Amino acid sequence: MRASPSRRRPMGRCLQGRAGLEGGGPGLARGVAVRWLTETVAPRQSASQGVGAQATREGATAAAAGQGAGYDRPVDRFASSGTRCSCRGFAPSPVLMEEMEEELKCPVCGSFYREPIILPCSHNLCQACARNILVQTPESESPQSRRASGSGVSDYDYLDLDKMSLYSEADSGYGSYGGFASAPTTPCQKSPNGVRVFPPAMPPPATHLSPALAPVPRNSCITCPQCHRSLILDDRGLRGFPKNRVLEGVIDRYQQSKAAALKCQLCEKAPKEATVMCEQCDVFYCDPCRLRCHPPRGPLAKHRLVPPAQGRVSRRLSPRKVSTCTDHELENHSMYCVQCKMPVCYQCLEEGKHSSHEVKALGAMWKLHKSQLSQALNGLSDRAKEAKEFLVQLRNMVQQIQENSVEFEACLVAQCDALIDALNRRKAQLLARVNKEHEHKLKVVRDQISHCTVKLRQTTGLMEYCLEVIKENDPSGFLQISDALIRRVHLTEDQWGKGTLTPRMTTDFDLSLDNSPLLQSIHQLDFVQMKASSPVPATPILQLEECCTHNNSATLSWKQPPLSTVPAEGYILELDDGNGGQFREVYVGKETMCTVDGLHFNSTYNARIKAFNKTGVSQYSKTLVLQTSEVAWFAFDPGSAHADIIFSNDNLTVTCSSYDDRVVLGKTGFSKGVHYWELTVDRYENHPDPAFGVARIDVMKDVMLGKDDKAWAMYVDNNRSWFMHNNSHTNRTEGGITKGATIGVLLDLNRKTLTFFINDEQQGPIAFENVEGLFFPAVSLNRNVQVTLHTGLPVPDFYSSRASIA
């Protein structure tokens, strides 16, 4: 059961969020983020604004010069991607760049990434660090040995794991990846399968190849040090991982921004500051080294010498190496596989690895993902701006607490000094209490400042890193990390949830010393509340004309009495369990209308509401009786269906684009009562065997209904039918379906039975007994079948009469 606040719409839904209980343009977005960063660090970066403007002019010149070469210059990324941005020329402050530094360091060595590679889990590692953490799995666990024994089903089979957990990992985008097989999620060093860790001091192989090209021991396994997911390397070893060129570019720009001055590259001891750079030699020279190593005569006379700053810009604007495919090193990335979420080449498509997948143009997906990341940053920048303002508020609270504390202490001392010496001991006790309250308030506020500052620093660092990534002009490199960055931005934004930016402590000291008692009452002297307590709010009134039910949902509306003078800070809505049981809270908030979903069908609920403020809660309102629908009206659910399912007729008619069976569920779940629905066969070709029945919400969607233990079904062809659950076939019954046939499904949760009908005749005995829990209507079919759902039907008469006799 879900409860959601509504805004004066009896049948509507409020999209501000649901709580309760369960019974059953892109350029503008980036501009906002950058503008907030500019406002945040404006006092610190006034000297850098000219640099940003200069970079913009240089970027425009470089872009004009590079149009013929087919490369987009990295200074004006959004201009090259066809989007508009109001933040060109923005120069990040050194403070923000330092906050981004933790994004640029390897989790293994702690230094800046060197030749970073991207793991299937989207995390990065240095090539050398990746090789250092390799471990070796037993020969019997390797994919090669499994294939040799005939037990494997593919070149990259999963290791022995719980299959359902693998399916859930695949849903999250992690599993087989570019020729790698998922290994146990337990880190290899602690695996119970006899994993052997390579000695850390292993001598390097006798080869002059780079660490990525050097031979990797057979059956090597690598575990991500950040998320602890493990996978087994194939024959390509570390060469099978794509290189993160975007991250290399960000690190290069970051290190250049940290360098105070360009140094000569040929000085033997202490390098002097460079005065020129040779564009042909790509070397920075000081004056003595230039005269000694680069004389202006002979072939060197034709070399062009430029100032160091201009040389740095020209080096930065030089086109990067074109991305190549990890599977086919001679082919460039030219397309993007939407299903695998990775750039591919034409040879990948021709060989069939991605032939059945949806592919799109690389440039179009590059622009789309840049747009998505920019839009995600828009929301995060708003949260960061609110956090900045909240920190200012907290710092002001510290000052106010200090001032109020001084004032309160002075008043207390004045009152105590007016009394005789008998008050001195009591005065000390009262001062101690005030100081304790003072320290408590300061501790709470300072702790909140510290916590919020850390979160803001992490958020700002992530924002700056994302902005630097957006500047990249390498589509394939950007797309390799864009999905992970988008998820991180949304996750970070969610962490700035409701209540995070609310002070946990007030600045007032609501205490006052009562000095009216006589001297003999000194020992009873104590603090009393300074502010008079306000009364509780009045009892809310349910607005019956706006309260209603629909299907298994109920909408309630209420208001404060017209003559009420005490404001209410919020309301508490309570419902019973539909069987006259205890009440429980389903909504707490400020709204005066709420919709509760997920109730039982054909059930009677009692509802009541009360108001609250700082003083307390009001009395309960009158109890309202709500009756849910006797029968259910629902359609198929596109959100939970397999991707191959095709919907039409307002999601009442479904078919499939695949020859394999695919599962689709209904939108409504049942856990109580008797429910009946029918499906008519609109198309039936080549004698397929569709399946009809009920399933759990987490049923497998890519196999026939009933293949796992999450579904109870009847599958039928043109001659006969079978009942199936957990891949067990029972009760073969003669009689099949044709075009125009009607299949009825009767779920009786009162008697815990499931029965099937074909053309108004019961098909076989009661299919399943002792069914209990939350069930969703379900169908599995392929492209040869099309069915239409009919709901809101009463239970067949003959079944009702049979149930009454029983």
Side-chain angles (χ1 to χ4, degrees):
M1 181 163 54
R2 289 197 307 269
S4 61
S6 305
R7 294 190 180 274
R8 295 297 171 188
R9 293 180 292 111
M11 302 305 297
R13 298 292 186 271
C14 178
L15 301 181
Q16 295 178 348
R18 293 176 178 264
L21 36 125
E22 291 286 344
L28 177 60
R30 181 175 182 271
V32 173
V34 174
R35 282 197 298 273
W36 178 85
L37 291 173
T38 307
E39 295 171 1
T40 306
V41 297
R44 310 175 195 165
Q45 63 174 30
S46 58
S48 64
Q49 293 174 354
V51 178
Q54 179 182 358
T56 304
R57 293 192 296 272
E58 293 171 348
T61 305
Q67 290 175 354
Y71 293 98
D72 294 328
R73 295 305 187 187
V75 171
D76 196 351
R77 303 298 196 274
F78 277 85
S80 64
S81 61
T83 58
R84 297 180 60 85
C85 179
S86 61
C87 56
R88 298 191 185 117
F90 168 70
S93 72
V95 175
L96 296 179
M97 294 291 284
E98 290 177 1
E99 292 177 348
M100 184 182 65
E101 186 170 311
E102 61 186 63
E103 299 278 349
L104 310 179
K105 290 187 177 180
C106 174
V108 176
C109 63
S111 303
F112 288 109
Y113 287 103
R114 295 182 296 275
E115 299 183 358
I117 58 177
I118 307 175
L119 299 181
C121 56
S122 300
H123 293 129
N124 301 286
L125 282 178
C126 301
Q127 277 189 354
C129 295
R131 184 173 183 84
N132 290 339
I133 65 174
L134 288 178
V135 295
Q136 190 172 12
T137 57
E139 184 70 22
S140 60
E141 298 293 336
S142 67
Q144 293 85 349
S145 62
R146 293 166 66 94
R147 291 196 297 270
S149 62
S151 63
V153 297
S154 66
D155 289 342
Y156 299 99
D157 196 8
Y158 289 110
L159 298 179
D160 295 332
L161 289 174
D162 177 71
K163 301 303 181 186
M164 292 308 298
S165 66
L166 286 176
Y167 294 136
S168 63
E169 286 184 4
D171 292 340
S172 63
Y174 185 82
S176 60
Y177 176 90
F180 296 94
S182 179
T185 56
T186 304
C188 293
Q189 292 84 345
K190 299 180 181 179
S191 173
N193 298 325
V195 173
R196 179 173 63 84
V197 180
F198 292 131
M202 175 184 292
T207 176
H208 297 290
L209 298 175
S210 65
L213 300 177
V216 173
R218 186 182 181 87
N219 304 332
S220 293
C221 173
I222 188 170
T223 300
C224 175
Q226 293 181 272
C227 64
H228 305 295
R229 294 184 180 270
S230 303
L231 55 113
I232 296 176
L233 276 65
D234 61 7
D235 295 336
R236 296 173 297 172
L238 297 178
R239 292 184 295 107
F241 294 112
K243 295 183 178 179
N244 196 337
R245 296 183 307 280
V246 174
L247 181 55
E248 285 184 306
V250 174
I251 293 174
D252 179 61
R253 290 196 299 271
Y254 176 76
Q255 291 178 328
Q256 289 182 1
S257 67
K258 296 281 285 186
L262 295 172
K263 302 295 184 180
C264 176
Q265 296 177 282
L266 297 181
C267 291
E268 295 182 356
K269 295 183 179 179
K272 299 180 181 178
E273 185 174 346
T275 56
V276 295
M277 173 194 170
C278 177
E279 289 189 337
Q280 285 70 32
C281 301
D282 195 19
V283 175
F284 290 93
Y285 298 95
C286 63
D287 288 336
C289 292
R290 177 178 59 83
L291 296 176
R292 185 179 71 256
C293 304
H294 199 287
R297 58 180 179 273
L300 300 179
K302 299 181 180 180
H303 288 197
R304 183 186 178 193
L305 301 179
V306 296
Q310 182 179 348
R312 172 191 285 175
V313 172
S314 62
R315 174 184 289 181
R316 185 185 305 171
L317 298 182
S318 60
R320 295 180 180 268
K321 182 179 179 181
V322 178
S323 172
T324 58
C325 180
T326 56
D327 294 327
H328 312 96
E329 297 182 354
L330 299 180
E331 296 291 335
N332 297 335
H333 287 145
S334 55
M335 303 293 288
Y336 180 79
C337 179
V338 178
Q339 182 171 342
C340 299
K341 296 183 178 180
M342 60 181 296
V344 296
C345 66
Y346 281 106
Q347 193 169 347
C348 291
L349 303 179
E350 294 175 356
E351 291 182 353
K353 185 175 181 180
H354 301 273
S355 59
S356 61
H357 298 174
E358 180 184 2
V359 296
K360 293 187 178 180
L362 194 66
M365 294 303 295
W366 172 42
K367 295 178 181 179
L368 176 62
H369 280 228
K370 274 196 173 185
S371 172
Q372 292 176 349
L373 180 57
S374 299
Q375 292 173 356
L377 281 176
N378 187 18
L380 184 59
S381 66
D382 291 340
R383 302 288 81 77
K385 184 174 182 180
E386 293 176 6
K388 171 178 172 289
E389 296 171 351
F390 179 61
L391 282 175
V392 174
Q393 178 185 356
L394 291 178
R395 293 189 179 101
N396 292 335
M397 288 180 63
V398 172
Q399 181 65 24
Q400 293 175 11
I401 291 174
Q402 296 283 9
E403 295 175 356
N404 291 344
S405 175
V406 172
E407 180 182 355
F408 186 81
E409 288 183 10
C411 179
L412 179 62
V413 170
Q415 291 183 9
C416 291
D417 288 344
L419 301 176
I420 60 177
D421 295 339
L423 294 176
N424 289 333
R425 290 187 298 270
R426 189 62 176 172
K427 179 181 66 175
Q429 296 175 4
L430 297 176
L431 281 173
R433 290 184 55 184
V434 173
N435 289 330
K436 183 178 179 181
E437 180 73 7
H438 171 211
E439 294 300 329
H440 173 67
K441 287 179 177 290
L442 288 179
K443 182 179 182 303
V444 172
V445 175
R446 284 168 176 165
D447 289 346
Q448 194 171 10
I449 289 176
S450 176
H451 177 70
C452 187
T453 302
V454 172
K455 291 185 64 176
L456 179 61
R457 180 180 61 81
Q458 295 173 349
T459 299
T460 307
L462 177 59
M463 291 172 55
E464 185 60 34
Y465 173 63
C466 292
L467 292 175
E468 289 297 320
V469 169
I470 291 177
K471 296 179 183 178
E472 284 299 321
N473 65 338
D474 181 0
S476 62
F478 179 86
L479 292 174
Q480 287 171 345
I481 65 174
S482 57
D483 281 309
L485 282 180
I486 293 171
R487 289 194 300 269
R488 286 188 61 190
V489 168
H490 285 303
L491 179 61
T492 304
E493 181 183 358
D494 292 339
Q495 292 176 352
W496 292 101
K498 183 177 180 181
T500 305
L501 304 181
T502 302
R504 301 174 185 170
M505 181 60 63
T506 64
T507 61
D508 296 331
F509 283 76
D510 298 332
L511 300 171
S512 178
L513 187 64
D514 184 4
N515 59 355
S516 60
L518 300 174
L519 291 179
Q520 61 268 26
S521 302
I522 288 177
H523 294 291
Q524 283 76 38
L525 198 63
D526 201 353
F527 289 106
V528 296
Q529 292 293 328
M530 180 185 302
K531 298 179 180 178
S533 58
S534 59
V536 298
T539 303
I541 299 175
L542 286 167
Q543 301 189 86
L544 301 182
E545 67 278 5
E546 296 188 14
C547 297
C548 62
T549 61
H550 174 72
N551 241 358
N552 62 335
S553 298
T555 298
L556 297 97
S557 177
W558 58 89
K559 65 179 181 179
Q560 282 290 97
L563 301 179
S564 175
T565 59
V566 180
E569 296 183 0
Y571 302 92
I572 301 174
L573 175 63
E574 296 182 356
L575 260 68
D576 65 1
D577 59 359
N579 289 322
Q582 292 184 349
F583 282 89
R584 45 187 176 170
E585 294 181 0
V586 297
Y587 171 72
V588 178
K590 297 180 179 180
E591 300 295 334
T592 58
M593 180 174 286
C594 177
T595 297
V596 184
D597 297 325
L599 303 176
H600 295 300
F601 284 91
N602 195 21
S603 299
T604 301
Y605 288 88
N606 295 311
R608 63 187 185 183
I609 187 76
K610 61 182 178 180
F612 65 87
N613 60 13
K614 290 182 179 180
T615 304
V617 296
S618 69
Q619 297 294 323
Y620 284 106
S621 66
K622 294 182 178 180
T623 301
L624 177 65
V625 179
L626 302 168
Q627 176 68 43
T628 56
S629 301
E630 295 184 4
V631 295
W633 299 84
F634 60 92
F636 288 115
D637 184 13
S640 62
H642 192 278
D644 294 338
I645 296 295
I646 302 173
F647 295 84
S648 59
N649 188 24
D650 293 331
N651 297 334
L652 293 174
T653 301
V654 293
T655 184
C656 183
S657 62
S658 171
Y659 284 106
D660 298 323
D661 291 309
R662 301 294 187 238
V663 172
V664 58
L665 302 179
K667 276 193 172 182
T668 302
F670 305 111
S671 59
K672 179 183 175 182
V674 183
H675 308 279
Y676 178 75
W677 62 92
E678 293 181 346
L679 302 106
T680 57
V681 181
D682 303 329
R683 186 177 74 250
Y684 187 81
E685 302 170 352
N686 301 326
H687 308 303
D689 45 1
F692 310 88
V694 297
R696 308 287 192 194
I697 189 64
D698 56 346
V699 66
M700 295 171 56
K701 305 297 195 310
D702 56 352
V703 296
M704 177 185 287
L705 195 67
K707 285 284 187 179
D708 62 359
D709 61 350
K710 300 295 192 304
W712 294 256
M714 174 189 72
Y715 73 94
V716 56
D717 58 16
N718 60 321
N719 292 321
R720 61 193 70 83
S721 66
W722 292 264
F723 302 145
M724 185 165 63
H725 168 65
N726 201 15
N727 206 23
S728 175
H729 310 251
T730 59
N731 297 97
R732 169 176 169 175
T733 305
E734 297 300 323
I737 59 174
T738 60
K739 180 179 179 180
T742 299
I743 295 89
V745 183
L746 195 151
L747 177 63
D748 188 344
L749 291 172
N750 296 337
R751 304 173 64 185
K752 302 179 181 180
T753 61
L754 180 64
T755 310
F756 296 97
F757 303 85
I758 296 182
N759 296 327
D760 298 327
E761 295 291 336
Q762 183 171 334
Q763 185 73 358
I766 293 177
F768 301 100
E769 297 180 338
N770 298 321
V771 292
E772 191 172 7
L774 179 64
F775 300 94
F776 291 81
V779 176
S780 67
L781 70 172
N782 62 13
R783 65 185 306 167
N784 294 315
V785 183
Q786 177 175 303
V787 298
T788 297
L789 176 66
H790 304 277
T791 62
L793 304 178
V795 177
D797 294 336
F798 68 87
Y799 184 83
S800 300
S801 59
R802 183 193 308 169
S804 62
I805 295 175

